[in-house]
Amino acid sequence: MTVKVIIVGAGKAGYLHFNSYLKLHSQGAFNIENVSFVDPAGGPGPDLAPLLSKCGRPVSFHTSMDGAAGAHDVGSTIVDLCLPSRLLAESLVAWHALGFKRFIVEKPFVASPARQDVFDIFDSSQVVMVQNYRHSR
Protein backbone atom coordinates (compact mmCIF):
# COMPACT_ATOMS: atom_id res chain seq x y z
CA MET A 1 0.00 0.00 0.00
CA THR A 2 1.22 3.49 -0.84
CA VAL A 3 0.54 6.38 1.52
CA LYS A 4 0.32 10.03 0.52
CA VAL A 5 0.07 12.43 3.42
CA ILE A 6 -0.22 16.10 4.21
CA ILE A 7 0.91 16.86 7.75
CA VAL A 8 -0.58 20.14 8.93
CA GLY A 9 1.79 21.53 11.53
CA ALA A 10 5.58 21.12 11.50
CA GLY A 11 6.12 21.36 15.26
CA LYS A 12 6.44 18.66 17.91
CA ALA A 13 3.24 16.78 16.94
CA GLY A 14 4.16 16.93 13.24
CA TYR A 15 7.57 15.51 14.11
CA LEU A 16 6.02 12.65 16.13
CA HIS A 17 3.57 11.76 13.36
CA PHE A 18 6.18 11.93 10.60
CA ASN A 19 8.55 9.78 12.67
CA SER A 20 5.74 7.22 13.05
CA TYR A 21 5.16 7.17 9.28
CA LEU A 22 8.89 6.57 8.74
CA LYS A 23 8.94 3.72 11.26
CA LEU A 24 5.93 2.06 9.65
CA HIS A 25 7.56 2.49 6.24
CA SER A 26 10.82 0.89 7.45
CA GLN A 27 8.86 -2.06 8.85
CA GLY A 28 7.20 -2.63 5.48
CA ALA A 29 3.70 -1.60 6.58
CA PHE A 30 3.40 0.76 3.61
CA ASN A 31 5.34 2.87 1.15
CA ILE A 32 5.45 6.64 1.64
CA GLU A 33 5.10 8.22 -1.78
CA ASN A 34 4.37 11.89 -1.21
CA VAL A 35 4.69 13.87 2.03
CA SER A 36 3.92 17.56 2.38
CA PHE A 37 3.93 19.75 5.44
CA VAL A 38 1.78 22.82 5.85
CA ASP A 39 2.96 25.34 8.41
CA PRO A 40 2.78 29.15 8.37
CA ALA A 41 6.50 29.28 9.22
CA GLY A 42 7.22 27.55 5.89
CA GLY A 43 9.75 25.12 7.32
CA PRO A 44 10.36 22.51 9.98
CA GLY A 45 10.31 23.19 13.68
CA PRO A 46 13.37 22.42 15.82
CA ASP A 47 12.29 18.83 16.53
CA LEU A 48 11.48 18.02 12.92
CA ALA A 49 14.53 19.52 11.19
CA PRO A 50 17.08 16.88 12.33
CA LEU A 51 14.74 14.04 11.38
CA LEU A 52 14.26 15.45 7.88
CA SER A 53 18.00 15.76 7.34
CA LYS A 54 18.52 12.04 7.94
CA CYS A 55 15.28 10.48 6.64
CA GLY A 56 16.32 10.46 2.97
CA ARG A 57 12.78 11.09 1.71
CA PRO A 58 11.66 14.03 -0.39
CA VAL A 59 9.36 16.29 1.60
CA SER A 60 7.73 19.53 0.51
CA PHE A 61 6.79 22.50 2.68
CA HIS A 62 3.93 24.92 2.10
CA THR A 63 2.83 27.99 4.01
CA SER A 64 -0.81 27.51 3.03
CA MET A 65 -3.18 24.65 2.44
CA ASP A 66 -3.73 25.63 -1.19
CA GLY A 67 -0.13 24.86 -2.15
CA ALA A 68 -0.18 21.44 -0.55
CA ALA A 69 -3.66 20.61 -1.81
CA GLY A 70 -2.57 21.28 -5.39
CA ALA A 71 0.22 18.72 -5.05
CA HIS A 72 -2.02 15.90 -3.81
CA ASP A 73 -4.95 13.85 -5.07
CA VAL A 74 -7.88 14.47 -2.71
CA GLY A 75 -9.12 10.90 -3.05
CA SER A 76 -5.95 9.14 -1.96
CA THR A 77 -4.28 11.50 0.51
CA ILE A 78 -4.45 11.46 4.30
CA VAL A 79 -4.57 14.89 5.93
CA ASP A 80 -2.92 14.61 9.33
CA LEU A 81 -3.91 17.54 11.56
CA CYS A 82 -1.16 18.20 14.11
CA LEU A 83 -2.42 21.49 15.45
CA PRO A 84 -3.44 23.08 18.74
CA SER A 85 -6.95 22.00 19.83
CA ARG A 86 -8.46 25.41 19.17
CA LEU A 87 -7.53 25.15 15.46
CA LEU A 88 -8.58 21.57 14.70
CA ALA A 89 -12.29 22.04 13.91
CA GLU A 90 -11.73 24.97 11.52
CA SER A 91 -8.87 23.18 9.82
CA LEU A 92 -10.89 19.99 9.42
CA VAL A 93 -13.74 21.93 7.82
CA ALA A 94 -11.37 23.81 5.49
CA TRP A 95 -9.57 20.69 4.25
CA HIS A 96 -12.89 18.88 3.81
CA ALA A 97 -14.16 21.82 1.73
CA LEU A 98 -11.24 21.20 -0.65
CA GLY A 99 -12.48 17.63 -1.14
CA PHE A 100 -10.27 15.65 1.24
CA LYS A 101 -12.03 12.81 3.06
CA ARG A 102 -9.30 10.96 4.99
CA PHE A 103 -8.08 12.54 8.23
CA ILE A 104 -5.97 11.84 11.26
CA VAL A 105 -6.76 14.29 14.05
CA GLU A 106 -4.88 14.90 17.29
CA LYS A 107 -6.90 14.86 20.50
CA PRO A 108 -8.22 16.72 22.30
CA PHE A 109 -10.63 17.78 19.59
CA VAL A 110 -12.96 20.58 20.58
CA ALA A 111 -16.06 21.63 18.63
CA SER A 112 -19.22 23.32 19.74
CA PRO A 113 -22.34 21.13 19.59
CA ALA A 114 -23.75 23.87 17.37
CA ARG A 115 -21.13 23.07 14.69
CA GLN A 116 -23.18 20.58 12.71
CA ASP A 117 -20.78 20.96 9.77
CA VAL A 118 -18.02 19.40 11.84
CA PHE A 119 -20.17 16.46 12.90
CA ASP A 120 -21.31 15.94 9.29
CA ILE A 121 -17.65 15.50 8.30
CA PHE A 122 -17.28 12.73 10.87
CA ASP A 123 -20.28 10.99 9.28
CA SER A 124 -19.17 11.41 5.66
CA SER A 125 -15.39 10.94 5.89
CA GLN A 126 -12.77 8.67 7.39
CA VAL A 127 -11.60 10.42 10.56
CA VAL A 128 -9.22 8.76 13.00
CA MET A 129 -8.58 10.42 16.35
CA VAL A 130 -5.20 9.84 17.98
CA GLN A 131 -4.27 10.66 21.52
CA ASN A 132 -1.28 12.87 22.00
CA TYR A 133 1.34 11.86 24.49
CA ARG A 134 2.67 14.72 26.57
CA HIS A 135 5.97 13.01 27.20
CA SER A 136 6.68 11.65 23.71
CA ARG A 137 10.13 11.91 22.22
Side-chain angles (χ1 to χ4, degrees):
M1 174 171 72
T2 298
V3 172
K4 302 169 190 165
V5 64
I6 298 171
I7 301 173
V8 184
K12 178 73 171 191
Y15 156 79
L16 292 170
H17 287 226
F18 184 59
N19 194 36
S20 295
Y21 290 119
L22 291 176
K23 286 179 181 177
L24 289 167
H25 173 79
S26 71
Q27 294 169 0
F30 53 72
N31 180 43
I32 300 174
E33 181 180 285
N34 187 356
V35 177
S36 294
F37 280 88
V38 177
D39 195 283
D47 294 307
L48 182 60
L51 179 62
L52 291 174
S53 68
K54 63 182 181 183
C55 80
R57 307 221 40 96
V59 174
S60 61
F61 279 88
H62 305 273
T63 56
S64 71
M65 53 192 283
D66 293 332
H72 287 266
D73 173 55
V74 298
S76 62
T77 299
I78 298 168
V79 177
D80 190 342
L81 301 177
C82 300
L83 299 168
S85 298
R86 70 183 186 285
L87 302 176
L88 289 172
E90 289 302 322
S91 186
L92 178 67
V93 170
W95 284 98
H96 187 265
L98 291 174
F100 291 92
K101 303 275 190 226
R102 299 169 68 194
F103 299 95
I104 296 175
V105 181
E106 276 278 330
K107 284 174 43 180
F109 183 86
V110 179
S112 163
R115 291 292 311 263
Q116 187 60 44
D117 57 341
V118 172
F119 296 103
D120 290 345
I121 292 170
F122 279 87
D123 290 338
S124 66
S125 301
Q126 296 174 340
V127 181
V128 176
M129 304 292 283
V130 296
Q131 181 173 353
N132 59 4
Y133 294 95
R134 294 179 187 237
H135 305 290
S136 297
R137 298 175 203 222

